[in-house]
Amino acid sequence: MNVTITPGKLAGTVMPPTSKSQGHRLLLAAALAQGESVIRNLSPSKDIEATTACIRVLGARVWQEEDGLHVVGRGGGFDGGKPLFFDCGESGSTLRFLIPIALAVAGGGSFTGHGRLMERPLKPYFDIFETKDIYYARYEDKAGLEGRLTPGDYPLPGDVSSQFITGLLYALPLLEGDSRIVITTPLESRAYVDMTLDALGQFGVTARWEGEQTLLVPGDQTYRPAAVTVEGDWSQAAFWYAARALGGEVEILGMDAHSTQGDKAVAGCYEQLGRPGHVEIDVSQCPDLVPALAAMAAVRQGTTQIVNAARLRIKESDRLTAVAAVLNAMGADVTEGADSLTVVGKAALVGGVTIDSHNDHRIAMMAAVAATRCQQPVAVLGAECVNKSYPAFWRDYRLLGGQIVEGAV
């Protein structure tokens, strides 16, 4: 789907979808529980569909009722029967969370994905598997694993992705003895680990920090079924904060200021970018905010430096390159560094261009919000990529007064 946007101010109220990150975590915990759980307020998306399909492969039963998504878990017992095949879509969370879980409960499996998913790093796991006598093979479009996790120490870098830590936090409690996750480099995106610990706790599973770099994970634990509610997604709310920063009158509903989501930092960044002058924002703990922050920075008074963003190169797109290319095409002044972006604000953007979404949901949403401050229309190619995380984005954009024509370029 392609869309053409006529510039204009957005105004009104909007309720972002619920947290995709929290949704993944609650689904997996429910799948490992012995009994029936209910997950309320779970917004649909392609990534959530991928995790739902994968927990069915694990043996969970899943169906929707009026009060929420019902999940009858398979329990955490080991079943090394027939080989399991997991299609993780384009979801990095699904892939990285499921790998250790599959080893813990089924002795491995075969994993595939779409888009750039199978290009994304898995080496932190493979380095561990080499010391644990776990067989792995990686091909262009799939990965295969065979073996069983055993209790012990699991060293992981903290600056590649916190998803590796989360995957182990789900699997290690099922083992016969205690384990430790030892983080060997400074931990980025710590809030995602805290979100995982919170989700585990809702299903009766515990792990705890021992100092700044070590997580103690007791073994022989059992996931208990629970009724849980997914909270609003701060990473999606960020685009409506950006619309507000670009002159819109947008009221954002349904957000929890006390959330464990690291992306709630967008509220403070919005205030910071609303003041003129030089601003530096460290996104090591909230990398998903970069497209929205860059859109805000493009039309503010002053220069904005967004730093410690190297991990964005291994997302759905090389997101540093994509952000710079898209905003510059629209008339912004963005300079790309090895792990940073420097944005010199302008009074307005020009537009009058056709933008490639790079098959990246956050790039498409950034372009849509930035288009509100353009002088000429902007066309976005591949606009359906928002379905990965926010299928209702274009509907909500229209409800806020956004002028969109589908199919026109």
Side-chain angles (χ1 to χ4, degrees):
M1 179 181 81
N2 305 324
V3 302
T4 297
I5 303 167
T6 299
K9 183 172 70 173
L10 302 182
T13 60
V14 64
M15 181 175 290
T18 57
S19 171
K20 179 166 66 79
S21 297
Q22 191 182 48
H24 286 303
R25 287 160 170 80
L26 297 176
L27 278 168
L28 288 169
L32 294 172
Q34 189 70 55
E36 184 175 338
S37 299
V38 180
I39 303 175
R40 297 182 292 260
N41 209 30
L42 179 64
S43 294
S45 69
K46 290 294 185 183
D47 281 7
I48 290 297
E49 288 175 11
T51 292
T52 303
C54 286
I55 67 172
R56 286 191 169 109
V57 173
L58 279 179
R61 290 192 291 119
V62 187
W63 70 96
Q64 183 72 46
E65 292 190 8
E66 287 188 8
D67 62 339
L69 193 74
H70 288 242
V71 181
V72 175
R74 56 143 359 251
F78 184 80
D79 178 8
K82 64 179 182 179
L84 302 180
F85 179 82
F86 300 94
D87 185 340
C88 301
E90 295 187 51
S91 174
S93 294
T94 307
L95 175 65
R96 289 169 174 163
F97 295 174
L98 259 295
I99 283 175
I101 291 172
L103 288 167
V105 304
S110 180
F111 294 82
T112 192
H114 307 278
R116 295 183 75 207
L117 180 64
M118 299 312 293
E119 300 173 21
R120 295 170 75 171
L122 292 175
K123 188 174 184 295
Y125 278 154
F126 295 159
D127 288 344
I128 290 172
F129 298 161
E130 287 180 358
T131 69
K132 301 285 186 181
D133 294 324
I134 293 172
Y135 167 81
Y136 67 90
R138 184 167 189 174
Y139 308 96
E140 183 177 344
D141 61 347
K142 63 182 178 182
L145 302 106
E146 185 177 348
R148 289 192 68 177
L149 294 180
T150 55
D153 285 356
Y154 286 79
L156 277 175
D159 57 353
V160 178
S161 173
S162 65
Q163 291 170 352
F164 297 106
I165 299 168
T166 286
L168 288 174
L169 282 170
Y170 275 88
L172 298 181
L174 301 173
L175 306 184
E176 298 81 3
D178 299 348
S179 300
R180 296 191 311 161
I181 301 172
V182 181
I183 302 167
T184 58
T185 61
L187 175 59
E188 298 181 359
S189 295
R190 185 186 181 105
Y192 285 102
V193 177
D194 292 337
M195 187 189 301
T196 300
L197 294 173
D198 179 72
L200 292 174
Q202 293 185 66
F203 287 82
V205 172
T206 63
R208 65 178 185 272
W209 287 102
E210 286 191 335
E212 290 294 314
Q213 298 292 110
T214 301
L215 282 156
L216 176 63
V217 187
D220 294 308
Q221 297 192 63
T222 300
Y223 285 79
R224 298 195 298 266
V228 294
T229 302
V230 189
E231 62 187 34
D233 193 329
W234 280 98
S235 67
Q236 310 298 2
F239 293 101
W240 304 126
Y241 272 95
R244 186 190 294 174
L246 271 64
E249 298 175 1
V250 179
E251 182 183 2
I252 305 164
L253 305 178
M255 305 311 298
D256 180 4
H258 302 291
S259 169
T260 58
Q261 297 175 57
D263 289 339
K264 71 180 180 183
V266 68
C269 293
Y270 165 80
E271 298 293 339
Q272 195 176 8
L273 292 170
R275 299 186 289 269
H278 180 86
V279 171
E280 180 176 293
I281 300 177
D282 183 338
V283 294
S284 59
Q285 303 300 321
C286 52
D288 285 343
L289 294 183
V290 168
L293 297 178
M296 295 186 213
V299 295
R300 65 178 292 268
Q301 295 181 43
T303 298
T304 307
Q305 287 187 294
I306 300 172
V307 301
N308 293 325
R311 284 184 298 148
L312 290 173
R313 296 200 181 279
I314 53 174
K315 296 289 187 177
E316 287 80 355
S317 66
D318 179 337
R319 215 171 260 168
L320 285 182
T321 294
V323 166
V326 167
L327 288 179
N328 284 337
M330 298 173 78
D333 184 350
V334 184
T335 301
E336 176 188 351
D339 69 344
S340 65
L341 295 172
T342 301
V343 187
V344 180
K346 294 187 173 184
L349 303 178
V350 178
V353 293
T354 297
I355 294 301
D356 180 1
S357 68
H358 296 261
N359 194 36
D360 189 329
H361 53 137
R362 300 194 195 279
I363 298 300
M365 290 187 278
M366 176 195 74
V369 172
T372 65
R373 284 294 293 272
C374 286
Q375 297 166 343
Q376 301 175 48
V378 173
V380 180
L381 304 180
E384 73 280 0
C385 64
V386 300
N387 293 337
K388 185 176 194 298
S389 62
Y390 194 166
F393 175 80
W394 295 113
R395 180 205 67 188
D396 289 350
Y397 192 88
R398 281 194 176 97
L399 290 173
L400 292 169
Q403 301 179 54
I404 306 170
V405 177
E406 291 186 20
V409 176

